[in-house]
Amino acid sequence: MTIIEQLSDIQKQFISFESIPELWKNQPTYLLVQMLFIMGGAVTLLHALINGGRRPLLWLCIICHGLVVECVCYLMDEIDNFWHSRAPIMFFRHRLPLYVIILYSVFYYIAIEIAYRTNKTKMGFIVTVGLNVFLIDLPYDIIGIKFVHWTWHDTDPNIGDRMYWVPLTSYYFHMVFSASFSFWFFIKGVDLDQTYTSRTEILTSLKAIFLSTPCGILCFSVLYHPLHDLYNVPTQIIVMFLIALYIMLSILKRKPRQMFNRPLTIILYLIVYYATFLCFAIWGKPENEISFGPHEEIGPCNITVSSFGTVSIYQDLELYTKNTRTKSIKSSIKIFSCHTVFIMVISILAIRVIHSLFHKTYYKL
C-alpha cells in the first residue's frame, strides 16, 4: 500500500462523505432535520455575534462541549449504545454526523438565552436551562427514532425503559448535562453581557468544556444508578422526579430580569423548528424511510457481556440482536400510531418555549 493510499485510508477513518441525492432518496426527513439544525447553528451564531458579550464564547464552548460528549460516548463501550444513520458528512468511522455537533448549539444556546431572561439567580437559571433543553429535545428524540434517524441498543438495561421507543435516560442525560455545563460556564455569575479577563475566560471555558461531562456522569451516579440498579425504581419515576425538582427550583428561585429586546431570530427559528416536527408527525411516512450506516450487529442472542452502572451492579447485556430489526422498527411505528397525542405535545411545547420569550415580567413594554 502506497503512502497516499495509507493517508487516504486514515482520512476516511476520520471523515467521510456521502451522496446527498442517494440520502435524499432513502431518508428525506433525515436530511431536512440536518438542514434544520445547521440553520439553527447559523441563527444562534449570528445572534451571539450581534449581541456580543460572552455569547460568542458561549457558542464556541457549547460546540466543544458537544464534541467532547460525543467522543466520550464512542470511546466508552458501556455507553456506546446508539448508531446514527448515514449523513452527508460523517466523522469517526461513520459514527458522528456533522449536524450532531451543531445540534448542541441549538439546544444549549437557545435554552440558555431563554433562561437568562427568566431567571437571574444561579440555581434557578441552571435548572431552567435543563428544563428548556428537555422541551427542545423532546420532539427531536421522538420523531428521530420514529423515522429511524438513529437506532438504540435493543437490550441495554440502562436504556430499557422507553417512551415512544425513546430511552427515558436520554431526557435525563440532556437535563443533567446541560445543567452541568451551565454551572461551569456561569460559575462567576449569570451574566452574558459582562466580560472577564482573558485568563478568567480561558479557565472558565476549559472547565465548562471538560468538567461538564464528568459532572453529568456524576449526576447519573448519585441519583439514577442507585435508585434504578439497587432499588429497581423505574426510570419513568426518576425522570419525573428530576423534572419536578427542576420545576420546583425554577419557581422558588425565579427572579426575572428586565430586558428591552426580543430575540426575533430565535423566536422565528423555534416556530420553524416545532412546525417541522409537527409536519413530520402529521404527514410523514416512516415506513418509507431506509436507514443506512452502522447498526447493532446481528448475531446469536445467547452471547452476553456485562453491563454495569456506576454503582457496580452488573447485568447481562446481549452482545448481538436478533435478525428482527425491521420488525422492531415497525413495532415502534405501530406504538406511535396516535398522531393526536404527539401533535398536542408539540403544540404545548412550542407555546411554552416561545411564550417564555415574550413574557411580560422581563420585557418592558
Side-chain angles (χ1 to χ4, degrees), residues 86-226:
R86 289 281 176 88
I89 302 177
M90 301 284 290
F91 299 98
F92 307 139
R93 299 182 179 181
H94 303 283
R95 295 302 306 275
L96 177 61
L98 172 64
Y99 90 94
V100 171
I101 303 174
I102 302 174
L103 172 148
Y104 283 85
S105 68
V106 175
F107 283 5
Y108 283 32
Y109 187 90
I110 294 178
I112 288 172
E113 192 65 36
I114 296 172
Y116 181 68
R117 286 166 158 75
T118 57
N119 221 311
K120 290 194 290 186
T121 64
K122 189 170 183 178
M123 178 59 70
F125 170 78
I126 290 173
V127 296
T128 303
V129 169
L131 286 172
N132 290 340
V133 170
F134 166 68
L135 292 175
I136 298 172
D137 166 68
L138 188 62
Y140 164 74
D141 258 358
I142 296 177
I143 285 293
I145 192 63
K146 175 181 171 68
F147 285 80
V148 209
H149 296 168
W150 64 85
T151 54
W152 295 94
H153 196 288
D154 283 341
T155 62
D156 189 337
N158 289 320
I159 56 175
D161 294 333
R162 307 189 184 192
M163 180 184 71
Y164 295 130
W165 215 249
V166 180
L168 289 163
T169 45
S170 175
Y171 304 130
Y172 187 100
F173 157 80
H174 281 295
M175 285 193 290
V176 298
F177 271 66
S178 59
S180 175
F181 175 85
S182 301
F183 170 81
W184 286 109
F185 188 83
F186 294 97
I187 195 168
K188 294 290 184 180
V190 183
D191 196 337
L192 282 172
D193 298 310
Q194 178 183 352
T195 56
Y196 301 97
T197 63
S198 299
R199 182 176 182 275
T200 301
E201 291 288 24
I202 291 173
L203 290 175
T204 302
S205 300
L206 291 175
K207 290 177 182 177
I209 293 170
F210 293 106
L211 295 183
S212 301
T213 299
C215 286
I217 295 174
L218 183 63
C219 291
F220 272 89
S221 305
V222 171
L223 180 62
Y224 173 76
H225 283 294

Side-chain angles (χ1 to χ4, degrees), residues 27-89:
Q27 274 191 303
T29 59
Y30 191 38
L31 277 182
L32 291 175
V33 167
Q34 293 176 62
M35 292 170 58
L36 181 67
F37 279 105
I38 291 173
M39 180 177 68
V43 167
T44 52
L45 177 59
L46 182 64
H47 182 274
L49 294 175
I50 291 175
N51 290 273
R54 301 188 71 203
R55 290 177 178 85
L57 180 63
L58 170 65
W59 193 92
L60 180 61
C61 287
I62 290 172
I63 295 294
C64 295
H65 162 73
L67 188 58
V68 169
V69 171
E70 294 299 320
C71 289
V72 169
C73 290
Y74 301 135
L75 292 174
M76 293 181 63
D77 293 337
E78 292 80 8
I79 54 178
D80 185 14
N81 51 20
F82 60 94
W83 298 268
H84 291 282
S85 186
R86 289 281 176 88
I89 302 177

